[in-house]
Amino acid sequence: QVQLVESGGGLVQAGGSLRLSCAASGRTFSTYAMGWFRQVPGKEREFVAAILWSDGRPFYSESVKGRFTISRDNAKLTVYLQMNSLKSEDTAVYYCAAAWGWRGRLDAAFAYDSWTQGTQVTVSS
């Protein structure tokens, strides 16, 4: 079992930046990938970015590519999401997730096993 603790959400003006952090503990040696998703009321949870734990290879949704950066710190067992050039449409609850194995894709919620409760990111225009 992997426990995840998320931090870093808040309110920011359009064009600004925020960094989300997600610290993992527990059975972290079994982690295959970490991901970030977001959700707004009435919509499905949307993939934002993912990173392979073994080699740090990142993956991004088209909507955030070039603006967001996912990274990891193996020593701290922490994954980060640096969000730059934020837009009002980035407003959502952001979730961190951990995948224990490969399920064919990284951009779908079903591929992940552990989730945080989410943190609100609000971008004012």
Side-chain angles (χ1 to χ4, degrees):
Q1 193 80 347
V2 175
Q3 291 80 44
L4 304 173
V5 177
E6 182 178 15
S7 61
L11 173 65
V12 65
Q13 287 189 334
S17 299
L18 277 177
R19 189 176 80 158
L20 303 181
S21 301
C22 180
S25 62
R27 195 182 154 194
T28 55
F29 63 87
S30 65
T31 301
Y32 176 77
M34 300 280 289
W36 291 95
F37 286 74
R38 64 189 182 187
Q39 190 170 23
V40 297
K43 292 191 176 181
E44 292 189 357
R45 198 162 291 190
E46 175 193 18
F47 170 73
V48 175
I51 189 166
L52 296 182
W53 203 250
S54 59
D55 62 9
R57 193 175 352 149
F59 302 86
Y60 299 97
S61 70
E62 287 300 320
S63 62
V64 306
K65 195 174 292 183
R67 300 188 297 121
F68 290 12
T69 302
I70 188 171
S71 62
R72 82 203 191 303
D73 184 327
N74 280 1
K76 295 182 179 180
L77 301 178
T78 299
V79 64
Y80 303 97
L81 184 67
Q82 177 66 44
M83 304 184 292
N84 298 330
S85 302
L86 283 161
K87 306 174 182 179
S88 57
E89 51 262 45
D90 294 318
T91 295
V93 176
Y94 283 71
Y95 299 88
C96 173
W100 298 343
W102 172 243
R103 291 201 178 103
R105 56 193 301 178
L106 290 176
D107 60 349
F110 73 78
Y112 295 83
D113 302 282
S114 295
W115 293 83
T116 59
Q117 291 189 340
T119 187
Q120 178 70 44
V121 171
T122 301
V123 183
S124 62
S125 56

